[in-house]
Amino acid sequence: MVKSLKNINADLKFGKLLMSRINLVSFILCGATVTFALSIGDGLAQASYVCPNGPGPGERQLGITGGSHGVAAIPICEEIPDSGSSSNNSGQEEQGSSRSSYYDPKFAALQFQSASTMLNLLEKARLLQDPKYLKYISGSWNLFPTSKLAGVKPGSYCVASFFKASMDPAANKAPVMINLVGPGSGYKGALLTFAAEGIPRPEKMKTITVTLIQNNDPPATVKAFNYTMPNLPFGVIAFAVPTIDAALAGIEDVQHLDVKIDGKSVAKTMWHSGLKMKDQFRKCLNGQPYSVKEIDIVPERLKTRN
């Protein structure tokens, strides 16, 4: 474990952290050495957000974050107003739809919308027997492969997304999503992002001080990106990690995570099956297909219920 986590400053030089064991917080602290000042200065558009895969349809790149100590600079994008991206995207993959297995932010919106509908419409007694609800309460991984769009190299843009009900009683089972985003395009590092309704939704992307608690380790106070995805009902906190190998090395099979701002929990969750996810994620990084695309712990006998 990193010694004296509370006293480590964000400008600590990469590679000088003292660890007695590897964990995720350690690598997020390493990632915090990135200079968070944006290369485009104060001219950020209101809907700016981190886009490690570069601009997609209907987006444009505004600039990059400054990088240092082995952490690559991260592209910053915004949505193009009235771009007509849906019509201009004909012939390309419909990411986030039922006809595509490739990651798109719309996938997150659909997950949050589905959870809200389920919690609002179904009675509790019925929910306890519903395999979809059991999966939501216990959480599940969705694994997204490299896109087959032209110019995309195998092993790029791999995403693992864990989605479950919040473990904070005050959140009333509202959803929390964690995304592990691998390298792609000009970005060589990795991102660990948290999305939840309790996370602030700033008009402009900014850096904030957050406290991250992992399992039984002491709290770690670090810098992170905070931004809003256009037209989506949640805020996002993103932690930069120097490399995807560093991120995967910190993955434990069962991991409890609590993100706090000014002492208030905004994303309290946990994941299971971290080691299985890690093995599958490495397949994607190596340009190989996943053996499974979803990982959950709901018994198969319950999934067959009508």
Side-chain angles (χ1 to χ4, degrees):
M1 182 57 207
V2 182
K3 294 183 179 180
S4 303
L5 285 174
K6 293 182 179 179
N7 299 322
I8 296 180
N9 295 321
D11 60 353
L12 189 64
K13 300 299 183 180
F14 175 67
K16 291 186 178 180
L17 293 171
L18 301 177
M19 294 180 291
S20 61
R21 69 180 184 88
I22 295 174
N23 65 21
L24 194 60
V25 170
S26 303
F27 291 113
I28 288 174
L29 283 168
C30 293
T33 59
V34 67
T35 303
F36 284 103
L38 298 173
S39 63
I40 54 177
D42 296 328
L44 275 176
Q46 289 189 347
S48 57
Y49 46 89
V50 173
C51 53
N53 297 347
E59 298 177 331
R60 60 186 168 211
Q61 184 171 331
L62 296 175
I64 59 173
T65 62
S68 64
H69 306 296
V71 182
I74 306 173
I76 304 297
C77 294
E78 71 169 353
E79 190 176 40
I80 302 174
D82 302 321
S83 63
S85 59
S86 58
S87 60
N88 293 337
N89 198 29
S90 58
Q92 296 186 351
E93 295 164 347
E94 296 184 41
Q95 297 180 344
S97 72
S98 60
R99 287 176 285 177
S100 171
S101 60
Y102 307 103
Y103 184 79
D104 185 272
K106 293 179 182 178
F107 164 79
L110 291 173
Q111 289 280 77
F112 275 74
Q113 182 180 6
S114 175
S116 177
T117 301
M118 178 170 56
L119 292 174
N120 289 335
L121 297 182
L122 297 179
E123 297 178 358
K124 186 173 182 179
R126 180 183 171 190
L127 284 174
L128 292 177
Q129 302 179 42
D130 189 325
K132 292 182 180 179
Y133 179 74
L134 294 176
K135 184 170 70 172
Y136 173 64
I137 291 297
S138 59
S140 62
W141 289 100
N142 279 275
L143 304 171
F144 299 91
T146 298
S147 170
K148 293 183 179 179
L149 292 175
V152 177
K153 296 180 180 180
S156 301
Y157 308 148
C158 301
V159 177
S161 180
F162 191 82
F163 187 76
K164 79 176 298 292
S166 173
M167 297 183 68
D168 182 0
N172 196 27
K173 294 185 174 62
V176 177
M177 176 177 283
I178 302 176
N179 281 351
L180 175 63
V181 184
S185 185
Y187 181 56
K188 305 304 180 183
L191 285 179
L192 184 70
T193 70
F194 291 78
E197 295 174 359
I199 293 176
R201 301 178 63 200
E203 291 185 351
K204 295 183 179 181
M205 193 188 78
K206 59 182 181 179
T207 59
I208 60 174
T209 300
V210 302
T211 299
L212 178 62
I213 303 174
Q214 172 190 283
N215 293 340
N216 296 319
D217 297 329
T221 300
V222 299
K223 295 290 186 179
F225 297 105
N226 178 211
Y227 56 93
T228 303
M229 294 299 295
N231 304 315
L232 299 183
F234 50 82
V236 181
I237 289 175
F239 299 94
V241 186
T243 67
I244 188 61
D245 287 335
L248 292 177
I251 298 294
E252 299 178 17
D253 198 43
V254 176
Q255 216 144 345
H256 293 258
L257 298 160
D258 191 4
V259 180
K260 294 186 175 184
I261 300 176
D262 296 329
K264 179 182 178 181
S265 179
V266 295
K268 186 174 184 179
T269 186
M270 59 80 69
W271 69 54
H272 57 73
S273 309
L275 299 183
K276 186 174 182 179
M277 178 280 295
K278 180 164 60 174
D279 289 342
Q280 294 296 319
F281 202 88
R282 289 196 182 279
K283 289 184 177 182
C284 181
L285 295 174
N286 293 328
Q288 301 171 355
Y290 294 119
S291 300
V292 295
K293 294 183 179 179
E294 186 174 8
I295 303 170
D296 64 62
I297 56 175
V298 177
E300 290 297 327
R301 59 182 177 82
L302 297 179
K303 295 180 182 179
T304 59
R305 290 183 176 178
N306 294 327

